Amino acid sequence: KGLLNFMYSHQSQISHVKWSTAPDEMLHLILPNPRIEMNLSPGMMCRVVDVENALTKRRYYGVPDIDLKIQIIDPIASWNNNGWEIHVSKEYAHVDKCAKPTMQCDVQTFSQIFFGYITPTKAARIGKLKGEEKEVSLMDKMFSPSVTFNNNPF
């Protein structure tokens, strides 16, 4: 609000303001006359480099006991290109390779789910995650949505 007041008090000297902020910013909701243009542009990329390590090092707060089997397709990192059996219990995951996974996605989709950019349900809805609805629902419990934002481009 302080920055908005500053801009308002200098409105005769300002013709245009460019504001870079997180995608969940609600600035436009507090403006009295919000004649603004909003653009969403992805500014960074992320990738899980080691699926097994990422799954075991992460904490799963408030997640019930869950068992999933998922095939990760990764044409670049052969160590990820496997079926994975994931057992979550007491906030930690135990991960082993498995021969008959019941879900499937590429490493890009898995990375987006892992970092909370997209939910497993949304990934399944657009065809990026394949699996039964019950399994997708369990995966939703493991990976909650999160706003991913970095205001320091490099």
Side-chain angles (χ1 to χ4, degrees), residues 14-80:
I14 298 173
S15 63
H16 181 81
V17 173
K18 185 175 181 179
W19 188 303
S20 175
T21 188
D24 65 336
E25 174 65 59
M26 297 295 152
L27 173 67
H28 64 284
L29 297 176
I30 65 171
L31 296 174
N33 190 3
R35 292 176 296 195
I36 60 173
E37 179 181 325
M38 293 174 53
N39 296 313
L40 178 62
S41 58
M44 64 182 223
M45 296 188 307
C46 60
R47 183 189 204 285
V48 174
V49 176
D50 185 338
V51 170
E52 182 178 14
N53 197 30
L55 286 167
T56 58
K57 299 295 184 202
R58 181 186 181 126
R59 296 284 300 264
Y60 300 88
Y61 298 105
V63 175
D65 288 1
I66 292 175
D67 289 299
L68 293 175
K69 294 179 181 179
I70 187 168
Q71 172 73 37
I72 304 295
I73 299 164
D74 189 342
I76 296 172
S78 60
W79 55 89
N80 288 334

Side-chain angles (χ1 to χ4, degrees), residues 81-95:
N81 202 22
N82 290 299
W84 299 101
E85 184 171 0
I86 307 163
H87 174 71
V88 176
S89 179
K90 297 183 176 122
E91 299 181 358
Y92 290 96
H94 178 76
V95 181

